[in-house]
Amino acid sequence: MIIFYDANCPLCNAEMQHLKRADINNKIILEDLNATDFNTRFPNVDKSKAMALLHARMPSGIMIYGLDVTYQAWKTVGKYPWLKIIRLPIIRFFADCAYTFFAKYRQPISRFLMPNSQCKNNQCKTKSAGDK
């Protein structure tokens, strides 16, 4: 499974790094949408759409989106089986609405929830009190 994500989003990057640490069998490949060669390596992935909504390519070649990516990724690494609740019919609708809102405002939400984080070139770090 290849996950295409915005590594310059502190919350997004934190989740992907957490996911990768749980991926002991290396079943997930993370691809930063901000990589300079992204469009060359993945010409069939619309970067602007992927920036708006999480995208992943399954081993079968099928693309999945949004919370389907989140659910499938954690299922792939064998963690958080309770996430299947977000894919139940009625809950799915509300969860997808909440995710769409989060995805649209992920940068300001990240700055609010993680005010000491900065991300550049797939490197996120927390500023200490002495940093400027």
Side-chain angles (χ1 to χ4, degrees):
M1 167 180 219
I2 303 172
I3 300 175
F4 306 102
Y5 77 107
D6 178 7
N8 288 335
C9 163
L11 282 173
C12 309
N13 193 58
E15 180 179 6
M16 291 300 122
Q17 297 313 313
H18 179 64
L19 175 66
K20 198 59 186 157
R21 284 190 299 277
D23 183 21
I24 59 174
N25 295 314
N26 292 314
K27 293 182 177 183
I28 295 181
I29 298 167
L30 300 177
E31 289 292 343
D32 180 11
L33 293 162
N34 302 294
T36 55
D37 62 346
F38 181 83
N39 291 332
T40 303
R41 291 185 302 119
F42 300 100
N44 295 328
V45 176
D46 184 324
K47 183 177 173 178
S48 63
K49 288 182 180 178
M51 278 292 204
L53 187 71
L54 190 60
H55 282 45
R57 181 180 299 141
M58 299 299 292
S60 66
I62 292 174
M63 294 294 289
I64 60 174
Y65 309 95
L67 287 178
D68 287 333
V69 175
T70 301
Y71 169 69
Q72 191 60 49
W74 287 108
K75 182 179 175 185
T76 297
V77 301
K79 299 284 185 182
Y80 311 125
W82 57 265
L83 278 174
K84 65 184 170 194
I85 196 169
I86 66 173
R87 302 293 78 200
L88 295 175
I90 294 173
I91 295 171
R92 179 186 195 111
F93 171 79
F94 292 104
D96 287 348
C97 288
Y99 171 77
T100 301
F101 177 84
F102 167 79
K104 184 174 182 177
Y105 297 104
R106 69 185 179 278
Q107 290 293 343
I109 292 170
S110 288
R111 283 192 298 275
F112 177 75
L113 294 176
M114 302 173 79
N116 294 325
S117 292
Q118 285 185 327
C119 295
K120 255 188 192 174
N121 301 324
N122 196 15
Q123 298 293 318
C124 293
K125 62 181 181 177
T126 302
K127 296 184 287 187
S128 65
D131 293 344
K132 292 187 181 185

